[in-house]
Amino acid sequence: DRITADDNRITEIAEEFFRRAEVKRTVIIWREDMVQIRNHPRIAGFLARMNAIGIEAVPMPFRREDPGFTARLKAYIESGDDRIGFFGFNAFCGVKLCCALDSLGVLGKYGANCVLVCDKSLLLNVFYPTPAMIDLNLPMMADRAVEMLLHRLSNPGIPGILVQQFPRLVP
């Protein structure tokens, strides 16, 4: 998820989705080893936007092997108002989230209106109800990846973090 669509736009979409769903609190799910930067703009932006409009937002990262994830999710669900919005960082995290909600027997309650995943995946289509998905612009992401690669190849000494900061690298 280093090369992705505009995280600000994604958080705007999430804000509107959860506002329409009239949720009172939200949780964002991501796998710790997938997010390489400390304050990822999608996570930080989501938390800030939700809190700004008066919707409690809680981060819930999980580890690769995390047997306690479903129990933590259950505790969160039972800890307050049941009008909850669930946001999956990407398709992988969305599958993890839907599996946990399904195993808790609440996917039917939340699935279509309160679960949003930042990516599309055929794997998410197996869940019923199917969660809402933000369709990332994959051609744009591929173009950006090629631009970054070409720039990196022509400038082998440049640090990778600088490559990611330029919106257009090749004329």
Side-chain angles (χ1 to χ4, degrees), residues 17-18 21-25 73-74 76-86 97-98 100-116 127-132:
F17 179 82
F18 290 124
E22 298 179 349
V23 300
K24 296 296 182 191
R25 55 196 186 119
L73 191 60
K74 180 180 181 184
Y76 178 74
I77 291 168
E78 294 173 347
S79 69
D81 194 310
D82 71 342
R83 295 188 315 190
I84 307 169
F86 301 88
L97 172 60
C98 289
L101 292 172
D102 194 36
S103 72
L104 293 171
V106 296
L107 183 60
K109 177 179 180 178
Y110 295 111
N113 300 321
C114 297
V115 178
L116 178 63
F127 295 101
Y128 183 81
T130 303

Side-chain angles (χ1 to χ4, degrees), residues 9-10 28 48 63 75 96 104 110 155:
R9 180 69 184 125
I10 290 167
I28 181 169
R63 292 174 309 283
K96 175 84 169 180
L104 293 171
Y110 295 111
N155 299 289

